Amino acid sequence: DAKTTQPPSMDCAEGRAANLPCNHSTISGNEYVYWYRQIHSQGPQYIIHGLKNNETNEMASLIITEDRKSSTLILPHATLRDTAVYYCIEGRGFGANNLFFGTGTRLTVIP
Amino acid sequence: DVKVTQSSRYLVKRTGEKVFLECVQDMDHENMFWYRQDPGLGLRLIYFSYDVKMKEKGDIPEGYSVSREKKERFSLILESASTNQTSMYLCASSPLPGGQGEKLFFGSGTQLSVL
C-alpha cells in the first residue's frame, strides 16, 4: 500500500516554479524517496531520487526535510510540457519491485 | 537513450483468448517488470524478472504468467483473458540488480480491451 500522501491536483503558471509536496511520515532510515512523472499517453519517467540530502539534476530539485517525513519536488521554471501526473514514491526496500506508485499529483501548467 | 518497446499500443481481444504482450529493451538491463495501470489505483506490479528464465510474482499475479527466454525480452501472458483484465499495461526495465537508487525505464504502454 502507498505510504506517501500527495495532493490530487495542482496548478502552476507557465514560467513560475512548481512546488509539489509529498508526505512520507513512515519512511525508514534507509529508504529512498523517488519522483517520477507520467505525461499523458506515455509511461512514467524517472525524475530524481534522494535519501537525506537535497538533490538537483537537469530536470528538478528535491528538498527533503531533516526528519525525512516530507519532501518537495521543485520544477524551477514550469513549461506547458511539464503538465503531467507526478508520483512521489517511498522505496519499501531493495529492488525496483519495491517502488509503489500511488495516484500522484496531477500538475497542470497554465499559459 | 534507453528504449523500452512494447509491441502494441492498442489491443482488442475476446474473453477467453490467450493474449501475449511483448516488451523489448535495448540497454542490456538485468531487471524487467510488468505493471498494470487503472484509474484511481495507480500502477500495480504484476511480475518481475531479475534474470533470464527467472520470474517473481508481484502484487497482483493472478491470471497472468510471464516468460523471459532472452535478456532483452519479457513477455506477459494472459492465459484466458477476462473483462477485468481490461487495462493499460506498462513494461519497464532497470539496470541495477537490486541495490538502492532504482531507476525504472518504462515503455509507452499497451491499452488492452477485453470484450
Side-chain angles (χ1 to χ4, degrees):
Chain A
D1 291 325
K3 295 183 180 178
T4 62
T5 304
Q6 300 178 254
S9 63
M10 292 180 63
D11 293 338
C12 177
E14 187 178 17
R16 303 296 292 270
N19 296 280
L20 292 92
C22 178
N23 289 323
H24 30 80
S25 57
T26 60
I27 197 168
S28 67
N30 61 352
E31 290 177 346
Y32 282 70
V33 177
Y34 299 82
W35 284 83
Y36 282 73
R37 74 179 183 184
Q38 187 172 21
I39 296 170
H40 182 63
S41 298
Q42 297 182 22
Q45 174 192 24
Y46 167 85
I47 301 173
I48 199 167
H49 73 277
L51 184 62
K52 297 180 186 177
N53 302 319
N54 298 337
E55 303 287 343
T56 296
N57 63 20
E58 64 279 3
M59 291 183 70
S61 295
L62 175 60
I63 309 298
I64 302 174
T65 58
E66 194 169 338
D67 64 6
R68 303 212 321 123
K69 293 185 183 302
S70 65
S71 63
T72 300
L73 180 76
I74 301 171
L75 309 177
H77 305 287
T79 71
L80 298 179
R81 288 182 294 182
D82 292 321
T83 291
V85 176
Y86 287 77
Y87 299 98
C88 169
I89 301 161
E90 179 186 318
R92 293 181 289 180
F94 291 108
N97 55 296
N98 290 304
L99 301 185
F100 180 83
F101 288 76
T103 53
T105 295
R106 181 173 298 277
L107 174 70
T108 302
V109 180
I110 302 169
Chain B
D1 283 349
V2 175
K3 194 164 185 182
V4 178
T5 303
Q6 295 185 229
S7 55
S8 302
R9 187 75 179 95
Y10 298 96
L11 211 52
V12 180
K13 296 293 181 180
R14 297 259 179 221
T15 302
E17 278 193 77
K18 190 169 186 176
V19 181
F20 293 86
L21 301 182
E22 306 288 346
C23 175
V24 177
Q25 50 97 0
D26 66 359
M27 283 299 292
D28 201 36
H29 287 171
E30 287 82 6
N31 312 324
M32 296 190 74
F33 307 81
W34 275 106
Y35 294 84
R36 64 178 282 177
Q37 183 172 28
D38 301 288
L41 296 177
L43 275 72
R44 292 179 290 168
L45 181 63
I46 305 171
Y47 267 97
F48 61 101
S49 169
Y50 283 146
D51 202 354
V52 174
K53 296 192 184 296
M54 177 273 182
K55 61 184 179 183
E56 293 285 347
K57 293 180 179 179
D59 298 319
I60 53 163
E62 297 79 19
Y64 304 94
S65 62
V66 290
S67 172
R68 194 163 180 202
E69 295 295 320
K70 293 184 178 181
K71 189 175 185 180
E72 67 271 17
R73 186 180 296 271
F74 194 35
S75 303
L76 180 69
I77 304 158
L78 287 65
E79 295 288 343
S80 178
S82 64
T83 54
N84 63 11
Q85 292 179 309
T86 290
S87 186
M88 171 67 78
Y89 289 88
L90 289 157
C91 175
S93 70
S94 76
L96 295 173
Q100 282 283 20
E102 308 289 348
K103 184 186 287 190
L104 287 162
F105 295 85
F106 282 86
S108 295
T110 296
Q111 179 63 52
L112 173 66
S113 297
V114 182
L115 306 178

